[in-house]
Amino acid sequence: MLGLARALRAKGHPTRVLAPSDGPPPDGWVTPLGNSIPTAANGSVAPIAPDPSAQLRLIRAVRDEGFDVLHLHEPLAPGATMTACLLKPTPLVGTFHAAGTSASYRYASPILKWMASRLDVRTVVSAEAEALARDHLGGDYVHLFNGIEIDRFAKADPWPTEAPTIFFLGRHEPRKGLDVLLAALPALPADTQVWIGSDGPDTERLKVQHAGDPRIHWLGRLSDEEKRRRLRAADVFCAPSLRGESFGVVLLEAMASGAAIVAADLSGYRLVARPDRDGLLVPPGDVGALAVALNRVLADRDLRERLVASGTERATEFSMDTLADRYLELYAQVTTAKPQARGWRRLRPRG
């Protein structure tokens, strides 16, 4: 969302992000709506802001700014996006990201269908995301990819390394498959270094289980800058997820950074990493197959360079600039359509 806003602003379109912010906002054009509340969703944890104070801040910001369009990511998530659907102060574009299953969609379909009908355009990032939304909400959807800011990754200053390095980045929970990667380590060369980014409910258990292995470096949560630098330095980026991946944004980031990809063979990952061209994809949960693929990429320099070259070229197809142009077409479509009833009087932007 921040990357899309930067791309839109660079094209001359004033853009403001309204979102929860646990700490100072990351830029001057971000309006914080308050702290987020970690909420279990789809086998993971989503940070949302459903509290009344966040909704009041959203309403105040929309009234003060007089936006031409509101672009809602996960428009039916409890909190600011759902409030925007309910009130509909201006044309709405909604992007659905989630895949897999959703208890809220299953048990609250009639209400959510009505809220979804408030959207002027519905977009999805993958066929899996469309399947979840269409099954419960009906409607038509425009397919748009998740974009990445190519230069921010390709031009990052590489983090220092002294040995072949594998990088894992993702929440430490069963869905992300970190257990599978760590179980494959005994089959990898003794000089291999493994960077483990982020944390989660499984962190302490895994640290105890694999204590004493000097190859593992537990990095915790990383800043965006450190993430980009480590992606730029890693020989292999490993994504051994088991399920629930609607789109492989993190694979694109690694590909743009010049890391070779070894990942689970999930449909969401296949959208970006073509098997045996941009990465090696293995059956989810298969420790042996993952170890074989990692060893192949680490040992075969020609294979690694071929995967990196293809992946780097592939990543450019998902440029944030291209995505911004696609969304601008949709914004123009909804703002030039027949005027909609407003929940309140439009005001001129301030500043």
Side-chain angles (χ1 to χ4, degrees):
M1 185 171 61
L2 293 172
L4 178 58
R6 280 189 286 264
L8 291 168
R9 292 174 67 86
K11 294 175 181 292
H13 299 277
T15 305
R16 178 161 289 277
V17 171
L18 313 177
S21 182
D22 299 328
D27 223 314
W29 37 264
V30 175
T31 298
L33 301 180
N35 293 331
S36 65
I37 299 173
T39 305
N42 194 25
S44 185
V45 174
I48 62 175
D51 53 297
S53 60
Q55 314 321 305
L56 291 173
R57 291 188 185 99
L58 168 75
I59 293 170
R60 186 178 302 116
V62 172
R63 290 190 64 175
D64 288 351
E65 297 286 350
F67 298 110
D68 295 301
V69 63
L70 285 178
H71 183 174
L72 311 178
H73 288 266
E74 288 300 352
L76 303 183
T81 55
M82 185 177 283
T83 297
C85 282
L86 178 65
L87 298 176
K88 193 173 173 61
T90 194
L92 304 177
V93 173
T95 296
F96 294 82
H97 295 264
T101 60
S102 170
S104 60
Y105 279 6
R106 187 164 58 250
Y107 296 119
S109 283
I111 296 173
L112 297 181
K113 280 183 179 179
W114 177 82
M115 287 196 171
S117 72
R118 309 277 281 169
L119 299 170
D120 296 277
V121 172
R122 309 181 198 189
T123 72
V124 290
V125 299
S126 66
E128 289 76 12
E130 180 181 15
L132 176 61
R134 185 184 291 277
D135 285 350
H136 296 284
L137 306 173
D140 297 318
Y141 299 83
V142 177
H143 279 248
L144 291 178
F145 56 87
N146 275 316
I148 61 167
E149 298 170 279
I150 302 294
D151 285 350
R152 289 172 71 89
F153 292 93
K155 297 181 179 179
D157 182 24
W159 197 270
T161 60
E162 298 179 353
T165 303
I166 298 170
F167 190 17
F168 169 93
L169 183 63
R171 185 170 166 78
H172 301 175
E173 60 192 10
R175 184 170 69 94
K176 291 296 184 180
L178 178 55
D179 272 295
V180 181
L181 170 58
L182 295 178
L185 291 190
L188 302 184
D191 64 342
T192 305
Q193 299 297 300
V194 181
W195 289 339
I196 307 295
S198 194
D199 56 19
D202 292 345
T203 302
E204 293 308 315
R205 173 182 65 82
L206 293 172
K207 281 185 175 181
V208 171
Q209 185 176 340
H210 297 276
D213 190 333
R215 298 176 296 175
I216 303 175
H217 302 266
W218 300 93
L219 307 178
R221 297 188 182 188
L222 306 177
S223 67
D224 285 343
E225 180 183 6
E226 183 175 346
K227 179 185 80 169
R228 292 193 296 268
R229 293 185 63 194
R230 288 187 182 274
L231 284 172
R232 190 80 178 91
D235 296 289
V236 180
F237 183 81
C238 184
S241 298
L242 302 180
R243 62 186 183 279
E245 302 292 347
S246 69
F247 193 93
V249 172
V250 70
L251 299 192
L252 286 176
E253 293 174 346
M255 290 153 66
S257 301
I261 300 298
V262 175
D265 191 1
L266 300 175
S267 56
Y269 286 166
R270 279 176 170 260
L271 287 174
V272 297
R274 296 164 296 188
D276 298 322
R277 293 178 62 183
D278 312 312
L280 300 186
L281 304 186
V282 302
D286 191 328
V287 174
L290 183 65
V292 168
L294 289 170
N295 276 317
R296 282 186 62 198
V297 175
L298 290 172
D300 189 335
R301 182 174 179 177
D302 290 341
L303 170 62
R304 189 167 66 251
E305 290 180 349
R306 177 171 60 80
L307 293 175
V308 168
S310 181
T312 301
E313 182 178 356
R314 174 69 166 165
T316 62
E317 299 177 22
F318 297 85
S319 161
M320 191 66 79
D321 286 338
T322 301
L323 180 63
D325 287 336
R326 297 287 302 279
Y327 271 119
L328 284 170
E329 294 173 3
L330 295 182
Y331 300 158
Q333 173 184 321
V334 300
T335 55
T336 57
K338 183 178 179 180
Q340 311 247 348
R342 297 291 189 261
W344 48 65
R345 179 171 57 90
R346 289 286 303 281
L347 300 178
R348 296 292 298 169
R350 295 192 302 185

Coordinates of all heavy atoms in Angstrom, one line a residue, residues 159-238:
W159 N 23.9 -6.8 2.6 CA 24.4 -7.1 4.0 C 25.7 -8.0 3.9 O 25.7 -8.9 3.1 CB 23.3 -7.8 4.8 CG 23.5 -7.8 6.2 CD1 24.2 -8.7 7.0 CD2 23.0 -6.8 7.1 NE1 24.1 -8.4 8.3 CE2 23.4 -7.2 8.4 CE3 22.3 -5.7 7.0 CZ2 23.1 -6.5 9.6 CZ3 21.9 -4.9 8.1 CH2 22.4 -5.3 9.4
P160 N 26.7 -7.7 4.7 CA 27.9 -8.5 4.6 C 27.6 -10.0 4.9 O 26.9 -10.4 5.8 CB 28.8 -7.9 5.7 CG 28.3 -6.6 5.9 CD 26.8 -6.6 5.7
T161 N 28.2 -10.9 4.1 CA 28.1 -12.3 4.3 C 29.5 -13.0 4.2 O 30.4 -12.4 3.5 CB 27.2 -13.0 3.3 OG1 27.7 -12.8 2.0 CG2 25.8 -12.5 3.4
E162 N 29.7 -14.1 4.8 CA 31.0 -14.8 4.8 C 30.8 -16.3 4.3 O 31.8 -17.0 4.3 CB 31.6 -14.8 6.2 CG 32.0 -13.4 6.6 CD 32.6 -13.3 8.0 OE1 32.7 -14.4 8.6 OE2 33.0 -12.3 8.5
A163 N 29.6 -16.7 4.0 CA 29.4 -18.1 3.6 C 28.1 -18.1 2.8 O 27.3 -17.2 2.7 CB 29.2 -18.9 4.9
P164 N 27.8 -19.2 2.1 CA 26.6 -19.4 1.4 C 25.4 -19.2 2.3 O 25.4 -19.8 3.4 CB 26.6 -20.8 0.9 CG 28.1 -21.2 0.8 CD 28.7 -20.4 1.9
T165 N 24.4 -18.4 1.9 CA 23.4 -17.9 2.9 C 22.0 -18.2 2.3 O 21.7 -17.8 1.2 CB 23.6 -16.4 3.1 OG1 24.9 -16.2 3.6 CG2 22.5 -15.9 4.1
I166 N 21.2 -18.7 3.2 CA 19.7 -19.0 2.9 C 19.0 -18.0 3.8 O 19.3 -17.9 5.0 CB 19.3 -20.4 3.2 CG1 20.1 -21.4 2.3 CG2 17.8 -20.6 3.0 CD1 19.9 -22.8 2.7
F167 N 18.0 -17.3 3.2 CA 17.2 -16.4 4.0 C 15.7 -16.8 4.0 O 15.1 -17.1 3.0 CB 17.3 -15.0 3.3 CG 16.7 -13.8 4.1 CD1 16.4 -13.9 5.4 CD2 16.4 -12.6 3.4 CE1 15.9 -12.8 6.1 CE2 15.9 -11.5 4.1 CZ 15.6 -11.6 5.4
F168 N 15.2 -16.9 5.2 CA 13.7 -17.1 5.4 C 13.2 -15.9 6.1 O 13.7 -15.4 7.0 CB 13.5 -18.3 6.3 CG 12.1 -18.5 6.8 CD1 11.2 -19.3 6.1 CD2 11.6 -17.8 7.9 CE1 9.8 -19.4 6.5 CE2 10.3 -17.9 8.4 CZ 9.4 -18.7 7.6
L169 N 12.0 -15.4 5.6 CA 11.4 -14.3 6.1 C 9.9 -14.5 6.1 O 9.2 -14.7 5.1 CB 11.7 -13.0 5.3 CG 11.1 -11.7 5.8 CD1 11.7 -11.4 7.2 CD2 11.4 -10.6 4.9
G170 N 9.3 -14.6 7.3 CA 7.9 -14.8 7.4 C 7.5 -15.1 8.9 O 8.4 -15.4 9.7
R171 N 6.2 -15.0 9.2 CA 5.8 -15.2 10.6 C 6.1 -16.6 11.0 O 5.9 -17.6 10.2 CB 4.3 -14.9 10.7 CG 3.7 -14.9 12.1 CD 2.3 -14.4 12.1 NE 1.7 -14.7 13.3 CZ 1.9 -14.1 14.5 NH1 2.7 -13.1 14.6 NH2 1.2 -14.5 15.6
H172 N 6.5 -16.8 12.2 CA 6.9 -18.2 12.7 C 5.6 -18.8 13.2 O 5.3 -18.8 14.4 CB 7.9 -18.1 13.8 CG 9.2 -17.4 13.4 ND1 10.2 -17.1 14.3 CD2 9.6 -16.9 12.2 CE1 11.2 -16.5 13.6 NE2 10.8 -16.4 12.3
E173 N 4.9 -19.5 12.3 CA 3.7 -20.2 12.5 C 3.6 -21.3 11.6 O 4.3 -21.4 10.5 CB 2.5 -19.2 12.3 CG 2.4 -18.7 10.9 CD 1.4 -17.5 10.7 OE1 0.9 -17.0 11.8 OE2 1.1 -17.1 9.6
P174 N 2.8 -22.3 11.8 CA 2.8 -23.5 11.0 C 2.6 -23.3 9.5 O 3.2 -23.9 8.7 CB 1.6 -24.4 11.6 CG 1.5 -23.9 13.0 CD 1.9 -22.5 13.0
R175 N 1.7 -22.3 9.2 CA 1.4 -22.1 7.8 C 2.6 -21.7 6.9 O 2.6 -22.0 5.7 CB 0.3 -21.0 7.7 CG -0.2 -20.7 6.3 CD -1.4 -19.8 6.3 NE -1.1 -18.4 6.8 CZ -0.8 -17.4 5.9 NH1 -0.8 -17.6 4.6 NH2 -0.5 -16.2 6.4
K176 N 3.6 -21.0 7.5 CA 4.7 -20.5 6.8 C 5.8 -21.6 6.6 O 6.8 -21.4 5.8 CB 5.3 -19.3 7.5 CG 4.4 -18.1 7.4 CD 4.2 -17.6 6.0 CE 3.4 -16.3 5.9 NZ 3.3 -15.8 4.5
G177 N 5.7 -22.7 7.3 CA 6.6 -23.9 7.0 C 8.0 -23.7 7.5 O 8.9 -24.5 7.0
L178 N 8.3 -22.9 8.5 CA 9.6 -22.8 9.0 C 10.1 -24.1 9.5 O 11.3 -24.4 9.4 CB 9.7 -21.7 10.0 CG 11.1 -21.4 10.7 CD1 12.2 -21.2 9.7 CD2 11.0 -20.3 11.7
D179 N 9.2 -24.9 10.2 CA 9.6 -26.2 10.7 C 10.2 -27.1 9.6 O 11.2 -27.8 9.8 CB 8.3 -26.9 11.2 CG 8.1 -26.6 12.6 OD1 8.9 -27.0 13.5 OD2 7.0 -26.0 12.9
V180 N 9.7 -26.9 8.4 CA 10.1 -27.8 7.2 C 11.6 -27.4 6.9 O 12.4 -28.2 6.7 CB 9.2 -27.6 6.0 CG1 9.7 -28.5 4.9 CG2 7.8 -28.0 6.4
L181 N 11.8 -26.1 6.8 CA 13.2 -25.6 6.5 C 14.2 -26.1 7.5 O 15.3 -26.6 7.2 CB 13.2 -24.1 6.3 CG 14.6 -23.5 6.2 CD1 15.4 -24.0 5.0 CD2 14.5 -21.9 6.2
L182 N 13.9 -25.9 8.8 CA 14.8 -26.3 9.8 C 15.0 -27.8 9.9 O 16.1 -28.3 10.2 CB 14.3 -25.8 11.2 CG 14.2 -24.2 11.3 CD1 13.6 -23.8 12.7 CD2 15.6 -23.6 11.1
A183 N 14.0 -28.6 9.6 CA 14.1 -30.0 9.5 C 15.1 -30.4 8.4 O 15.6 -31.5 8.4 CB 12.8 -30.7 9.4
A184 N 15.2 -29.6 7.3 CA 16.1 -29.9 6.2 C 17.5 -29.6 6.5 O 18.4 -30.0 5.7 CB 15.6 -29.2 5.0
L185 N 17.8 -28.9 7.5 CA 19.2 -28.4 7.7 C 20.2 -29.5 7.9 O 21.4 -29.3 7.4 CB 19.2 -27.5 9.0 CG 18.6 -26.1 8.8 CD1 18.9 -25.2 10.0 CD2 19.0 -25.4 7.5
P186 N 19.9 -30.6 8.5 CA 21.0 -31.7 8.6 C 21.5 -32.1 7.3 O 22.6 -32.6 7.2 CB 20.2 -32.8 9.4 CG 19.2 -32.1 10.2 CD 18.7 -30.9 9.3
A187 N 20.7 -32.0 6.2 CA 21.1 -32.4 4.9 C 21.9 -31.4 4.1 O 22.4 -31.6 3.0 CB 19.9 -32.9 4.1
L188 N 22.1 -30.2 4.7 CA 22.7 -29.1 4.0 C 24.2 -29.0 4.4 O 24.6 -29.5 5.5 CB 22.0 -27.8 4.3 CG 20.5 -27.7 3.9 CD1 20.0 -26.3 4.2 CD2 20.3 -28.1 2.5
P189 N 25.1 -28.4 3.6 CA 26.5 -28.3 3.9 C 26.7 -27.6 5.3 O 26.0 -26.7 5.7 CB 27.0 -27.4 2.8 CG 26.1 -27.7 1.7 CD 24.7 -27.8 2.3
A190 N 27.8 -28.0 5.9 CA 28.1 -27.4 7.3 C 28.4 -26.0 7.3 O 28.3 -25.3 8.3 CB 29.3 -28.2 7.9
D191 N 28.9 -25.4 6.1 CA 29.2 -24.0 6.1 C 28.1 -23.1 5.7 O 28.2 -21.9 5.6 CB 30.4 -23.8 5.2 CG 30.0 -24.1 3.7 OD1 29.0 -24.8 3.5 OD2 30.8 -23.6 2.8
T192 N 26.9 -23.7 5.5 CA 25.7 -22.8 5.1 C 25.2 -22.0 6.3 O 25.1 -22.5 7.4 CB 24.5 -23.8 4.7 OG1 25.0 -24.6 3.6 CG2 23.4 -22.9 4.2
Q193 N 24.9 -20.7 6.0 CA 24.3 -19.8 7.0 C 22.8 -19.7 6.7 O 22.5 -19.5 5.5 CB 25.0 -18.5 7.0 CG 26.5 -18.5 7.3 CD 26.8 -19.0 8.7 OE1 26.3 -18.4 9.7 NE2 27.5 -20.1 8.8
V194 N 22.0 -19.7 7.8 CA 20.6 -19.6 7.6 C 20.1 -18.4 8.4 O 20.2 -18.4 9.6 CB 19.8 -20.9 8.0 CG1 18.3 -20.7 7.8 CG2 20.4 -22.1 7.3
W195 N 19.6 -17.4 7.7 CA 19.0 -16.2 8.3 C 17.5 -16.4 8.5 O 16.8 -16.7 7.6 CB 19.2 -14.9 7.5 CG 20.6 -14.4 7.4 CD1 21.6 -14.7 8.3 CD2 21.2 -13.6 6.4 NE1 22.8 -14.0 7.9 CE2 22.5 -13.3 6.8 CE3 20.6 -13.0 5.3 CZ2 23.3 -12.5 6.0 CZ3 21.4 -12.1 4.5 CH2 22.8 -11.9 4.9
I196 N 17.0 -16.3 9.7 CA 15.6 -16.5 10.0 C 15.1 -15.1 10.5 O 15.4 -14.6 11.6 CB 15.4 -17.5 11.2 CG1 16.1 -18.8 10.8 CG2 13.9 -17.7 11.4 CD1 15.5 -19.5 9.6
G197 N 14.3 -14.5 9.6 CA 13.7 -13.2 9.9 C 12.3 -13.3 10.6 O 11.7 -14.3 10.4
S198 N 11.9 -12.3 11.3 CA 10.6 -12.1 11.9 C 10.5 -13.0 13.2 O 11.5 -13.5 13.7 CB 9.5 -12.4 10.9 OG 8.3 -12.0 11.5
D199 N 9.3 -13.2 13.7 CA 9.0 -14.0 14.9 C 7.6 -14.5 14.8 O 6.9 -14.3 13.8 CB 9.3 -13.2 16.1 CG 8.5 -11.9 16.2 OD1 7.5 -11.7 15.5 OD2 8.9 -11.0 17.0
G200 N 7.1 -15.0 15.9 CA 5.8 -15.6 15.9 C 5.6 -16.5 17.0 O 6.4 -16.7 17.9
P201 N 4.4 -17.2 17.1 CA 4.1 -18.1 18.2 C 5.0 -19.3 18.3 O 5.1 -19.9 19.4 CB 2.6 -18.5 17.9 CG 2.5 -18.3 16.4 CD 3.3 -17.1 16.1
D202 N 5.7 -19.7 17.2 CA 6.5 -20.9 17.2 C 8.0 -20.5 17.5 O 8.8 -21.4 17.6 CB 6.5 -21.6 15.9 CG 5.1 -22.3 15.7 OD1 4.3 -22.4 16.7 OD2 4.8 -22.7 14.5
T203 N 8.3 -19.3 17.7 CA 9.7 -18.9 17.7 C 10.5 -19.6 18.9 O 11.5 -20.2 18.7 CB 9.9 -17.3 17.9 OG1 9.2 -16.7 16.8 CG2 11.3 -16.9 17.9
E204 N 10.0 -19.5 20.1 CA 10.7 -20.0 21.2 C 10.8 -21.5 21.1 O 11.9 -22.1 21.5 CB 10.0 -19.6 22.5 CG 10.1 -18.1 22.8 CD 11.5 -17.5 22.7 OE1 12.4 -18.2 23.3 OE2 11.7 -16.5 22.1
R205 N 9.8 -22.2 20.7 CA 9.9 -23.6 20.6 C 10.9 -24.0 19.6 O 11.7 -25.0 19.8 CB 8.5 -24.2 20.1 CG 8.5 -25.7 19.8 CD 7.2 -26.2 19.3 NE 6.8 -25.6 18.0 CZ 7.2 -26.1 16.8 NH1 8.1 -27.0 16.7 NH2 6.8 -25.5 15.7
L206 N 11.0 -23.3 18.4 CA 12.0 -23.7 17.4 C 13.4 -23.3 17.9 O 14.3 -24.1 17.5 CB 11.6 -22.9 16.1 CG 10.3 -23.4 15.4 CD1 10.0 -22.5 14.3 CD2 10.5 -24.9 15.0
K207 N 13.5 -22.2 18.6 CA 14.9 -21.9 19.1 C 15.4 -23.0 20.1 O 16.6 -23.4 20.0 CB 14.8 -20.6 19.9 CG 14.8 -19.4 19.0 CD 14.9 -18.1 19.8 CE 15.0 -16.8 18.9 NZ 15.1 -15.6 19.8
V208 N 14.5 -23.5 20.9 CA 14.9 -24.6 21.8 C 15.2 -25.8 21.1 O 16.2 -26.5 21.3 CB 13.8 -24.8 22.9 CG1 14.1 -26.0 23.7 CG2 13.7 -23.6 23.8
Q209 N 14.4 -26.2 20.1 CA 14.5 -27.4 19.4 C 15.8 -27.4 18.6 O 16.4 -28.5 18.4 CB 13.3 -27.6 18.4 CG 13.2 -28.9 17.7 CD 12.0 -29.0 16.8 OE1 11.0 -28.3 17.1 NE2 12.0 -29.8 15.8
H210 N 16.2 -26.3 18.1 CA 17.4 -26.2 17.2 C 18.6 -25.5 17.9 O 19.5 -25.0 17.2 CB 17.1 -25.6 15.9 CG 16.0 -26.4 15.1 ND1 16.4 -27.4 14.3 CD2 14.7 -26.2 15.0 CE1 15.3 -27.9 13.8 NE2 14.2 -27.2 14.2
A211 N 18.5 -25.4 19.2 CA 19.6 -24.7 19.9 C 20.9 -25.5 19.7 O 21.0 -26.7 19.6 CB 19.3 -24.7 21.4
G212 N 22.0 -24.7 19.6 CA 23.3 -25.3 19.3 C 23.7 -25.4 17.9 O 24.9 -25.7 17.6
D213 N 22.8 -25.1 17.0 CA 23.2 -25.1 15.6 C 23.8 -23.8 15.2 O 23.0 -22.8 15.1 CB 22.0 -25.5 14.7 CG 22.4 -25.7 13.2 OD1 23.4 -25.2 12.8 OD2 21.7 -26.5 12.5
P214 N 25.1 -23.6 15.0 CA 25.7 -22.3 14.8 C 25.3 -21.7 13.4 O 25.6 -20.5 13.2 CB 27.2 -22.6 14.9 CG 27.3 -24.0 14.5 CD 26.1 -24.7 15.0
R215 N 24.7 -22.5 12.6 CA 24.4 -22.0 11.2 C 23.2 -21.1 11.2 O 22.9 -20.3 10.3 CB 24.2 -23.2 10.3 CG 25.4 -24.1 10.1 CD 25.0 -25.3 9.2 NE 24.0 -26.1 9.8 CZ 23.5 -27.2 9.2 NH1 23.8 -27.5 8.0 NH2 22.6 -27.9 9.9
I216 N 22.3 -21.2 12.3 CA 21.1 -20.5 12.3 C 21.3 -19.2 13.0 O 21.8 -19.1 14.1 CB 20.0 -21.3 13.1 CG1 19.8 -22.7 12.4 CG2 18.7 -20.6 13.1 CD1 18.9 -23.6 13.2
H217 N 20.8 -18.1 12.4 CA 20.8 -16.8 13.0 C 19.4 -16.2 13.1 O 18.7 -16.0 12.1 CB 21.7 -15.8 12.1 CG 23.1 -16.3 11.8 ND1 24.1 -15.9 12.6 CD2 23.6 -17.2 10.9 CE1 25.2 -16.5 12.2 NE2 24.9 -17.3 11.2
W218 N 18.9 -16.1 14.3 CA 17.6 -15.6 14.6 C 17.6 -14.1 14.6 O 18.2 -13.5 15.5 CB 17.1 -16.2 15.9 CG 17.0 -17.7 16.0 CD1 18.0 -18.5 16.4 CD2 16.0 -18.5 15.5 NE1 17.6 -19.8 16.3 CE2 16.3 -19.8 15.7 CE3 14.7 -18.2 15.0 CZ2 15.5 -20.9 15.4 CZ3 13.9 -19.3 14.6 CH2 14.3 -20.6 14.8
L219 N 17.0 -13.5 13.6 CA 17.2 -12.0 13.4 C 16.0 -11.2 14.0 O 16.2 -10.0 14.2 CB 17.2 -11.7 11.9 CG 18.2 -12.5 11.1 CD1 18.1 -12.1 9.6 CD2 19.7 -12.2 11.6
G220 N 14.9 -11.9 14.3 CA 13.8 -11.1 14.9 C 13.2 -10.2 13.8 O 13.4 -10.4 12.6
R221 N 12.4 -9.3 14.2 CA 11.7 -8.4 13.2 C 12.8 -7.4 12.6 O 13.6 -6.9 13.3 CB 10.6 -7.6 13.9 CG 9.5 -8.5 14.4 CD 8.3 -7.7 14.9 NE 7.3 -8.5 15.5 CZ 6.1 -8.1 15.8 NH1 5.8 -6.8 15.7 NH2 5.2 -8.9 16.3
L222 N 12.6 -7.2 11.3 CA 13.6 -6.4 10.6 C 13.0 -5.1 10.1 O 11.8 -5.1 9.8 CB 14.1 -7.2 9.4 CG 14.7 -8.6 9.7 CD1 15.1 -9.2 8.3 CD2 15.9 -8.5 10.6
S223 N 13.8 -4.1 10.1 CA 13.3 -2.8 9.4 C 13.3 -3.1 7.9 O 13.9 -4.0 7.4 CB 14.3 -1.7 9.7 OG 15.6 -1.9 9.1
D224 N 12.5 -2.2 7.2 CA 12.4 -2.4 5.7 C 13.8 -2.3 5.1 O 14.1 -3.1 4.2 CB 11.5 -1.3 5.2 CG 10.1 -1.6 5.4 OD1 9.7 -2.8 5.8 OD2 9.2 -0.7 5.3
E225 N 14.6 -1.4 5.6 CA 16.0 -1.3 5.0 C 16.8 -2.5 5.2 O 17.5 -3.0 4.3 CB 16.7 -0.1 5.6 CG 18.1 0.1 5.0 CD 18.9 1.3 5.7 OE1 18.4 1.8 6.7 OE2 20.0 1.5 5.2
E226 N 16.8 -3.1 6.4 CA 17.6 -4.3 6.7 C 17.1 -5.5 5.9 O 17.8 -6.3 5.4 CB 17.6 -4.6 8.2 CG 18.5 -5.9 8.5 CD 18.6 -6.2 10.0 OE1 18.3 -5.3 10.8 OE2 19.1 -7.3 10.3
K227 N 15.7 -5.6 5.8 CA 15.2 -6.6 4.9 C 15.7 -6.5 3.5 O 16.1 -7.6 2.9 CB 13.6 -6.5 4.9 CG 13.0 -7.6 4.1 CD 11.5 -7.4 4.0 CE 11.1 -6.3 3.0 NZ 9.6 -6.3 2.7
R228 N 15.7 -5.3 2.9 CA 16.1 -5.2 1.5 C 17.6 -5.5 1.4 O 18.0 -6.2 0.5 CB 15.9 -3.8 1.1 CG 14.4 -3.4 0.9 CD 14.2 -2.2 0.1 NE 14.7 -1.0 0.8 CZ 14.0 -0.2 1.6 NH1 12.8 -0.5 1.9 NH2 14.6 0.8 2.2
R229 N 18.4 -5.1 2.4 CA 19.9 -5.4 2.4 C 20.1 -6.9 2.5 O 21.0 -7.4 1.8 CB 20.6 -4.7 3.5 CG 20.6 -3.1 3.3 CD 21.4 -2.5 4.4 NE 22.8 -2.9 4.3 CZ 23.7 -2.7 5.2 NH1 23.4 -2.1 6.3 NH2 25.0 -3.1 5.0
R230 N 19.4 -7.6 3.3 CA 19.6 -9.0 3.5 C 19.1 -9.8 2.3 O 19.7 -10.8 1.8 CB 19.0 -9.5 4.8 CG 19.7 -9.1 6.0 CD 19.1 -9.7 7.3 NE 19.8 -9.3 8.5 CZ 20.9 -9.8 9.0 NH1 21.5 -10.8 8.4 NH2 21.5 -9.3 10.1
L231 N 18.0 -9.4 1.7 CA 17.5 -10.0 0.4 C 18.6 -9.8 -0.7 O 18.8 -10.7 -1.5 CB 16.2 -9.4 0.0 CG 14.9 -9.8 0.7 CD1 13.8 -8.9 0.3 CD2 14.6 -11.3 0.5
R232 N 19.2 -8.7 -0.7 CA 20.2 -8.4 -1.7 C 21.4 -9.3 -1.6 O 22.1 -9.6 -2.5 CB 20.6 -6.9 -1.7 CG 21.4 -6.4 -2.8 CD 20.6 -6.1 -4.0 NE 21.4 -5.6 -5.1 CZ 22.0 -6.4 -6.1 NH1 21.8 -7.7 -6.0 NH2 22.7 -5.9 -7.0
A233 N 21.7 -9.7 -0.3 CA 22.9 -10.4 0.0 C 22.7 -11.9 -0.1 O 23.7 -12.7 -0.3 CB 23.4 -10.0 1.4
A234 N 21.5 -12.4 0.1 CA 21.3 -13.8 0.3 C 21.5 -14.6 -1.1 O 21.2 -14.1 -2.1 CB 19.9 -14.1 0.7
D235 N 22.1 -15.8 -1.0 CA 22.2 -16.6 -2.2 C 20.9 -17.3 -2.5 O 20.6 -17.4 -3.7 CB 23.3 -17.7 -1.9 CG 24.7 -17.1 -1.7 OD1 25.3 -16.7 -2.6 OD2 25.1 -17.2 -0.5
V236 N 20.1 -17.7 -1.5 CA 18.9 -18.3 -1.8 C 17.8 -17.7 -0.8 O 18.1 -17.5 0.4 CB 19.0 -19.9 -1.5 CG1 17.6 -20.5 -1.7 CG2 20.1 -20.5 -2.3
F237 N 16.6 -17.5 -1.4 CA 15.5 -17.1 -0.5 C 14.6 -18.3 -0.5 O 14.2 -18.8 -1.6 CB 14.7 -15.9 -1.1 CG 13.6 -15.5 -0.2 CD1 13.8 -14.8 1.0 CD2 12.3 -15.9 -0.4 CE1 12.8 -14.4 1.8 CE2 11.3 -15.6 0.4 CZ 11.5 -14.8 1.5
C238 N 14.3 -18.8 0.7 CA 13.5 -20.0 0.9 C 12.1 -19.7 1.4 O 12.0 -19.1 2.5 CB 14.2 -21.0 1.8 SG 13.4 -22.6 1.9

